[in-house]
Amino acid sequence: MLRIWGRLTSVNVQKVVWCADELGLRYERIDAGRDFGLVDTPEYRARNPNGLVPVIEDDGFVLWESNAIVRYLAARHGEGTLWPTDISMRADADRWMDWQATSFNPAIGPAFWQLIRTAPGKRDVAVIEAARDSGEQQLALLDAHLATHDFVAGPSFTMGDIPLGCSVDRWYKLPLAREAHPHVERWYAALRGRKGARQVVELGLA
Ligand SMILES: N[C@@H](CCC(=O)N[C@@H](CS)C(=O)NCC(=O)O)C(=O)O
């Protein structure tokens, strides 16, 4: 059976859990990381030398890097749905997964760390404000794209929506003043209604 290591409060673990739930896979999730520890044990490091979550094992095949895991599960179990058979559509899904990891998540990350993982007296308002502005700029770009696309890679939900769905979910849960992005809001509402998203959208930030 598929095994997933990682605490659910990690945005990168959320991607994998959401993907597995979308695909209706049976899996065991083992809490690891932060307060759960485990990531520094030799057994864990043998699976993921980075000592980070998530990592999966699937019939003896071990894989780390959350977006690579989402691609692997989608390719293995979601051909024609999460894994588009059309190469251009698949590249589009890939592109938005990379954009989540290299642009959107780094933009909003400092706001999350300040507001959720830093004690109130130690927070830096300037860092929060800069991350908010940067997140808004990135969301305006996504909003313009979603004005003409139902989902990030086209007319149907694909693997490309999952990493961004996790990050945007985090963004909307942060206690921040936000601007209106109607197309992102429409897309996020559609994602929230999916059975596969349940574990992620029902979770508070921690
Ligand atoms: N690029 C990696 C990043 C993994 C990563 O940074 N994971 C964080 C949680 S989001 C982590 O393991 N933090 C340490 C911990 O939880 O103990 C991926 O996408 O899988």
Side-chain angles (χ1 to χ4, degrees):
M1 195 207 295
L2 172 67
R3 287 199 287 172
I4 303 170
W5 282 266
R7 56 189 170 82
L8 203 52
T9 50
S10 149
V11 74
N12 291 311
V13 174
Q14 290 171 5
K15 297 172 189 177
V16 176
V17 166
W18 185 338
C19 184
D21 286 346
E22 278 291 336
L23 293 165
L25 303 181
R26 286 183 60 230
Y27 61 87
E28 177 191 10
R29 188 179 62 76
I30 301 118
D31 274 319
R34 288 184 70 85
D35 293 348
F36 296 101
L38 202 70
V39 294
D40 290 326
T41 60
E43 294 77 17
Y44 191 90
R45 292 276 168 154
R47 289 195 180 88
N48 185 353
N50 300 291
L52 296 172
V53 292
V55 62
I56 65 159
E57 194 175 309
D58 189 26
D59 276 338
F61 174 61
V62 174
L63 188 64
W64 43 265
E65 276 302 328
S66 58
N67 283 2
I69 297 170
V70 169
R71 288 185 178 101
Y72 164 78
L73 293 176
R76 183 157 281 261
H77 303 283
E79 178 132 23
T81 56
L82 292 194
W83 181 258
T85 42
D86 177 80
I87 291 177
S88 305
M89 191 175 177
R90 190 157 76 229
D92 230 350
D94 262 338
R95 176 258 300 276
W96 286 105
M97 291 172 76
D98 287 358
W99 186 78
Q100 180 275 338
T102 60
S103 294
F104 188 62
N105 211 50
I108 69 165
F112 172 78
W113 274 89
Q114 288 288 322
L115 290 165
I116 308 300
R117 300 255 170 96
T118 305
K122 296 195 171 153
R123 289 179 191 160
D124 186 332
V125 178
V127 170
I128 297 170
E129 202 42 41
R132 197 203 74 89
D133 290 351
S134 167
E136 288 293 357
Q137 272 174 30
Q138 304 277 356
L139 274 189
L141 184 157
L142 179 62
D143 199 56
H145 178 72
L146 289 172
T148 54
H149 298 78
D150 288 342
F151 295 93
V152 296
S156 60
F157 182 89
T158 68
M159 63 180 180
D161 295 288
I162 294 175
L164 258 181
C166 294
S167 278
V168 168
D169 178 71
R170 177 165 279 191
W171 168 260
Y172 279 112
K173 286 173 180 168
L174 284 171
L176 285 173
R178 271 178 291 267
E179 291 156 27
H181 298 294
H183 306 293
V184 173
E185 284 153 28
R186 184 261 311 148
W187 166 83
Y188 176 52
L191 261 57
R192 269 206 322 267
R194 299 185 72 85
K195 236 165 79 183
R198 195 183 48 81
Q199 292 200 69
V200 174
V201 300
E202 287 181 359
L203 197 74
L205 296 183

